[in-house]
Amino acid sequence: SPSCADDKKRRVCYYYDPGIAHIKFSDDHVMVPARVAMAHSLVGVYGMLGDMRRLRTRPATEAEIRRFHSPEYVDLLRDLTPESYFNDAALRQKAEDDHGIGGDDDCPAFDRLWKYCRGYAGGSFAAARALVDGASDIAINWSGGMHHASACKATGFCYVNDIVLAINELLGTFRRVIYVDIDAHHGDGVQNAFLDSNRVMTLSFHRYGKITPHKDFFPGSGAINEIGDGAGEHYSVNVPLDAGVRDDVYHTLFKPIVGKAMEVFQPEAIVLQCGADSLSGDRLGGMELSVRGHAECVSFLRGFNLPLLLVGGGGYTINHVASAWCYETAVAVGKERKLPDDIEIPSHGYELMYKNQGNKLHYKTSTATAARKRSSSTEVTKGKVLEHLSQVK
Ligand code: ZL4
Ligand code: CA
Ligand code: ZN
């Protein structure tokens, strides 16, 4: 269980690259990088920038990105532009067929793609360095968390896997790293990268199962019986969930499972992917967490008093995303009780974006989801996962 008083102060560093405000996947893409600029503005208007070491990110170098990604894929990411994609049929075919870029609309070849990748990866990289150096207790990069990308392929809006890069950096110093993923989607790219490792335990909570008779909720992996391979057996942990899961059911699973994982694995550092598409009202996620319920995951892990890396991830109703990441920044610095909730979000430039949520950080979660069942399946899932975890040596 958490080993220190929760109100103890932490040294927090925060990475933000203002260039993120100008990145667009396309005019109508669901992934909107500017949500990170919205979160940053909220963090500013709530007076938290003075509570953290605030650092501009250095873009990740090509060499740093090559530590995980394949040579051919990095060459492509670096050289691909909307113009080269349009004009060079051979390049376009390679991008689509071999590397998942272009083709369907999930991972388009957009303007400044390479700059965007270097920017968010640089943030997670630097955040990992700050924990390794011992300069900070908690390091935050809301632009990171791109958990689907594999060594040679873009998938699910993710091109460079900043999480894998960051974990590899942490492994230079820390013997064991636990990765916890609360995005509504399965953290497949991170799981696969460390599938046969017993130095990284990956733990993903995600929506799982059919959304139509012929279609799985993306990416389709993350069944409860995916537990890792070889030396990594029992070090991949998956908690599949139904649509409509609310705070109560989520935490019936999250706290016992993460608590048990911490106990059996004894990690020296924690990486938490805070994908905000598990929030109620998300355009893609279909889950029903409140901002407080989502942030409870952050405070629970903060309570273990280990070096903690917080990254972003999904999140498609951008006002909800910014609200959650602002509040979670407050949790990191230990100020969440001081955030006023009786007054409306102060004027800061983006305030009109919060109209649909009554201009409050803590908006009301929906109550209309039929799929919300407090069924025995929750207890079954919990029992199976805890049973897997009890086999960790
Ligand atoms: C969109 O409206 O399930 C992309 C993606 C772009 C704009 C206009 C194009 C419309 C929903 C999604 C057509 C888009 C069709 N636009 C995309 C099997 C799919 C093939 C691609 O949170 N089509 C693929 C990926 C998931 C699939 C989820 C989650 C990332 C993360 C971490 C990634 N892909 C079907 C979809 C739209 C779009 C509307 C979309 N894509 C919803 N779900 C997917 O875990 C960051
Ligand atoms: Ca997840
Ligand atoms: Zn997601």
Side-chain angles (χ1 to χ4, degrees):
S1 68
S3 56
C4 104
D6 248 340
D7 28 296
K8 196 193 148 230
K9 283 276 171 277
R10 304 291 197 286
R11 295 166 302 160
V12 181
C13 67
Y14 171 90
Y15 293 87
Y16 177 69
D17 171 3
I20 195 89
H22 311 292
I23 300 294
K24 270 192 161 191
F25 278 44
S26 70
D27 282 336
D28 54 359
H29 202 285
V30 289
M31 175 55 102
V32 178
R35 68 213 167 113
V36 177
M38 290 171 61
H40 177 72
S41 293
L42 279 184
V43 166
V45 78
Y46 282 109
M48 293 187 280
L49 290 174
D51 300 322
M52 307 181 285
R53 273 210 308 150
R54 201 193 132 193
L55 300 150
R56 275 231 179 189
T57 46
R58 171 180 66 71
T61 64
E62 197 180 310
E64 286 165 348
I65 291 174
R66 286 185 192 281
R67 289 185 205 172
F68 174 59
H69 292 283
S70 73
E72 192 187 73
Y73 180 51
V74 177
D75 289 349
L76 177 78
L77 274 178
R78 185 196 56 212
D79 298 340
L80 198 61
T81 63
E83 294 70 39
S84 66
Y85 179 79
F86 186 79
N87 294 323
D88 184 339
L91 184 75
R92 181 164 65 246
Q93 186 174 358
K94 194 168 83 153
E96 293 179 2
D97 297 353
D98 300 346
H99 303 292
I101 302 182
D104 69 31
D105 285 292
D106 276 355
C107 300
F110 60 83
D111 188 29
R112 287 176 286 195
L113 169 60
W114 179 235
K115 188 174 189 286
Y116 164 69
C117 291
R118 291 184 63 200
Y120 76 76
S124 296
F125 213 83
R129 295 291 333 161
L131 298 176
V132 162
D133 295 348
S136 300
D137 305 310
I138 304 179
I140 302 176
N141 175 31
W142 294 131
S143 67
M146 300 304 144
H147 60 176
H148 297 305
S150 76
C152 58
K153 236 175 153 65
T155 168
F157 323 152
C158 303
Y159 299 80
V160 164
N161 200 317
D162 61 295
I163 304 168
V164 173
L165 294 170
I167 292 175
N168 278 332
E169 201 60 22
L170 294 172
L171 288 174
T173 298
F174 302 115
R175 223 164 1 167
R176 286 182 297 275
V177 176
I178 194 166
Y179 170 70
V180 181
D181 183 318
I182 62 171
D183 190 287
H185 298 92
H186 178 226
D188 55 351
V190 184
Q191 175 176 298
N192 291 337
F194 300 108
L195 202 64
D196 53 18
S197 172
N198 57 13
R199 292 184 64 202
V200 179
M201 177 176 279
T202 62
L203 181 37
S204 178
F205 295 78
H206 44 267
R207 184 171 162 196
Y208 181 84
K210 298 277 173 232
I211 52 172
T212 71
H214 304 287
K215 208 172 161 215
D216 286 318
F217 188 68
F218 186 87
S221 53
I224 200 162
N225 60 5
E226 291 177 23
I227 57 171
D229 281 352
E233 198 177 4
H234 304 300
Y235 294 86
S236 298
V237 183
N238 286 290
V239 187
L241 303 165
D242 292 331
V245 163
R246 290 189 306 179
D247 295 351
D248 51 0
V249 168
Y250 200 88
H251 284 293
T252 299
L253 294 164
F254 188 85
K255 286 175 190 168
I257 289 172
V258 175
K260 178 79 175 175
M262 294 298 292
E263 184 191 314
V264 299
F265 186 55
Q266 295 282 313
E268 294 182 348
I270 304 169
V271 178
L272 176 58
Q273 196 266 21
C274 300
D277 48 4
S278 43
L279 290 169
S280 178
D282 188 80
R283 195 169 160 188
L284 298 189
M287 294 172 65
E288 294 288 344
L289 296 188
S290 71
V291 167
R292 282 198 179 80
H294 196 269
E296 182 87 16
C297 301
V298 179
S299 48
F300 186 70
L301 284 165
R302 182 185 188 269
F304 289 93
N305 205 20
L306 290 170
L308 174 61
L309 174 51
L310 300 178
V311 292
Y316 307 98
T317 300
I318 59 179
N319 45 305
H320 295 172
V321 179
S323 303
W325 291 348
C326 168
Y327 186 69
E328 287 164 6
T329 304
V331 168
V333 299
K335 270 205 172 169
E336 72 273 29
R337 284 180 211 87
K338 293 189 184 149
L339 287 201
D341 193 39
D342 46 337
I343 60 161
E344 294 188 349
I345 291 170
S347 159
H348 63 290
Y350 288 112
E351 64 280 356
L352 294 179
M353 303 283 291
Y354 300 88
K355 205 169 55 159
N356 290 342
Q357 60 183 74
N359 302 309
K360 297 289 183 74
L361 224 44
H362 296 287
Y363 65 91
K364 286 196 177 45
T365 59
S366 101
T367 48
T369 303
R372 184 196 311 136
K373 43 178 198 218
R374 271 204 88 162
S375 63
S376 55
S377 72
T378 304
E379 286 305 316
V380 173
T381 299
K382 180 175 153 186
K384 283 188 184 162
V385 175
L386 290 177
E387 159 63 21
H388 285 318
L389 280 170
S390 71
Q391 294 176 56
V392 173
K393 285 175 278 294

